[in-house]
Amino acid sequence: MNPFIISGIQQVGVGTENFTESWKWYAEMFQMNIRILEDDTVAERMLPYTGNQPQKRHACVTINMQGGGGFEIWQYSERKPQPIPFQVQIGDLGIFAMKVKCRDVQAFHEEIRAKYDKISAIETTPDGIKSFWMEDPWGNFFQIIEHTPVYRDMKRLSGHALGVLIGVTNIEKALAVYRDILGYDEIVYDKTGVFQDWGFMEGSEETYRRVLLTHSQPRKGAFSEIFGKSYIELVTALDREPRKIFENRYWGDPGYIQLCMDVSNMKELGKFCAEKGFPFTVDSCPGDIQFDMGDASGHFTYIEDPDGTLIEFVEAHKIPILKKLGWYLDLKKRDVSKPLPQWLLGCLRWSKMKFE
């Protein structure tokens, strides 16, 4: 048994050119309206990915109480963000789409279609699941997947991040990260061909190999129950040379900037990653110095998959439960393997954002 715990997808990073507009849109469409943390300071520890210069930024982590991973919405405050200079296609290298769960695809499709038009028809994935696609106003793609379990029933149709779709050049090599380190050890399907359910996206007429992964065992850890089951789909383009989505751009520029996993026992995880040939490229806490991000604190690190896609690990030490009353949860004082009680995490709903 590994001496560390990976509890699930904590969040998927989304770089933007307008922090407030993006957050408001994700709250309206996906109910991403619970603020876990917000920070408007300088990112000093990501120098390998920010031109070797500290960069001021405005960022938040926001969730939907019905369960799944959150969104980290991220914008440079002083440097002009550099958008993707080309149309992202299926299989381009990096995270090219996010999977978002909903409890009823037909009903949610009708709800979205009534207020937004960049959506596809309802299709069926290779494993027989109903889904449809959306493109946000900034060119980010979302695959909406029917997934009925909810953590806390808020009487809404949507959940939040269920997973990601990642373009890779070689799936076998990529499995060394996604299966052997992150623990996505179960293959739901491994298909090669032209796929009808991708018709909404650029390049859908071409041939791809797609491998959908999940984890065979339930996750453990403080937040494992709210994160729930998650999926990573690895995609290789077979008819063309894929482009690297973040080539010649900085981490934090527009697009999906990283996949973040919630972990415990970062030191042991670091040893394990190094032994597997994927050492940390960033470590926020050299010499065990605590890292603060606004009202929260913890330890974050990064590795790269074989194509340079960024995987973040976060070990949370302190998070705000009810900031107005000075109520914070100290995670260093509890058994890291046990999930937090639902009544406690349910208090996070008091941090709901209100947008004008």
Side-chain angles (χ1 to χ4, degrees):
M1 180 178 292
N2 291 327
F4 56 85
I5 293 172
I6 296 180
S7 299
I9 295 177
Q10 186 193 89
Q11 39 91 351
V12 179
V14 186
T16 180
E17 296 182 72
N18 191 307
F19 174 85
T20 302
E21 284 186 11
S22 295
W23 195 352
K24 184 177 180 180
W25 195 89
Y26 296 135
E28 168 66 16
M29 296 295 166
F30 305 135
Q31 288 74 60
M32 302 300 297
N33 54 17
I34 304 299
R35 177 171 55 191
I36 300 301
L37 60 89
E38 185 175 356
D39 191 31
D40 190 4
T41 56
V42 177
E44 297 178 332
R45 307 189 189 189
M46 292 296 295
L47 301 186
Y49 304 111
T50 58
N52 291 313
Q53 296 291 329
Q55 301 284 349
K56 193 171 189 299
R57 52 81 168 101
H58 192 183
C60 73
V61 173
T62 181
I63 67 169
N64 175 325
M65 285 302 301
Q66 293 199 151
F71 289 16
E72 180 181 25
I73 305 168
W74 208 101
Q75 181 194 348
Y76 283 101
S77 301
E78 296 174 345
R79 171 184 172 271
K80 180 177 174 54
Q82 298 299 306
I84 303 170
F86 57 89
Q87 174 64 56
V88 171
Q89 297 188 50
I90 298 166
D92 279 339
L93 303 179
I95 301 169
F96 66 86
M98 187 193 305
K99 294 177 182 285
V100 172
K101 69 179 188 176
C102 76
R103 59 206 301 179
D104 184 325
V105 155
Q106 183 66 49
F108 191 51
H109 187 266
E110 293 172 3
E111 176 184 309
I112 296 296
R113 188 173 55 184
K115 56 189 175 183
Y116 191 67
D117 61 358
K118 290 186 178 181
I119 68 169
S120 75
I122 295 174
E123 302 287 356
T124 302
T125 64
D127 55 334
I129 305 299
K130 292 181 180 179
S131 71
F132 66 92
W133 286 83
M134 296 176 61
E135 181 183 1
D136 74 14
W138 308 281
N140 300 304
F141 288 93
F142 298 85
Q143 184 187 32
I144 313 303
I145 299 288
E146 188 163 274
H147 186 80
T148 55
V150 297
Y151 177 72
R152 186 182 185 89
D153 191 352
M154 306 301 290
K155 310 302 180 184
R156 299 302 299 262
L157 293 170
S158 72
H160 43 203
L162 183 65
V164 289
L165 296 98
I166 301 175
V168 301
T169 54
N170 184 298
I171 286 176
E172 277 65 38
K173 289 182 179 179
L175 288 173
V177 170
Y178 298 105
R179 179 191 61 200
D180 300 343
I181 294 178
L182 302 190
Y184 289 89
D185 60 339
E186 180 181 324
I187 296 176
V188 180
Y189 57 73
D190 183 345
K191 302 285 187 179
T192 298
V194 178
F195 297 96
Q196 182 177 345
D197 62 308
W198 281 352
F200 184 72
M201 288 197 66
E202 192 75 20
S204 61
E205 71 284 355
E206 297 175 355
T207 304
Y208 299 91
R209 181 184 174 194
R210 55 194 292 192
V211 177
L212 181 65
L213 303 171
T214 189
H215 42 97
S216 60
Q217 299 299 317
R219 298 289 195 178
K220 297 180 179 179
F223 303 101
S224 57
E225 291 187 349
I226 192 170
F227 296 148
K229 198 171 185 67
S230 58
Y231 298 81
I232 291 177
E233 188 160 2
L234 302 178
V235 178
T236 297
L238 300 178
D239 291 342
R240 64 181 174 86
E241 190 75 23
R243 302 186 68 171
K244 188 171 182 178
I245 296 171
F246 268 86
E247 186 174 12
N248 298 321
R249 297 192 304 135
Y250 288 179
W251 168 85
D253 276 333
Y256 292 118
I257 59 181
Q258 88 261 325
L259 170 67
C260 176
M261 309 301 294
D262 189 271
V263 308
S264 299
N265 203 342
M266 189 73 79
K267 283 187 176 181
E268 293 299 325
L269 175 60
K271 295 176 185 177
F272 185 79
C273 289
E275 290 169 358
K276 293 291 184 180
F278 299 92
F280 291 160
T281 59
V282 168
D283 188 338
S284 71
C285 300
D288 294 329
I289 300 171
Q290 181 164 286
F291 177 78
D292 292 324
M293 183 178 176
D295 300 310
S297 66
H299 185 181
F300 73 80
T301 60
Y302 279 77
I303 63 172
E304 298 180 7
D305 82 356
D307 295 293
T309 300
L310 293 178
I311 312 297
E312 182 182 17
F313 300 116
V314 170
E315 183 171 26
H317 295 161
K318 181 186 75 172
I319 63 167
I321 297 294
L322 190 55
K323 182 180 175 181
K324 291 180 180 179
L325 298 181
W327 183 13
Y328 293 82
L329 177 63
D330 186 347
L331 292 158
K332 298 181 76 174
K333 296 181 178 179
R334 65 180 312 278
D335 184 343
V336 296
S337 67
K338 294 183 178 179
L340 289 165
Q342 190 172 109
W343 71 263
L344 179 59
L345 289 181
C347 295
L348 292 172
R349 69 188 187 279
W350 298 332
S351 298
K352 183 177 179 179
M353 289 290 292
K354 295 181 180 180
F355 297 93
E356 296 181 359

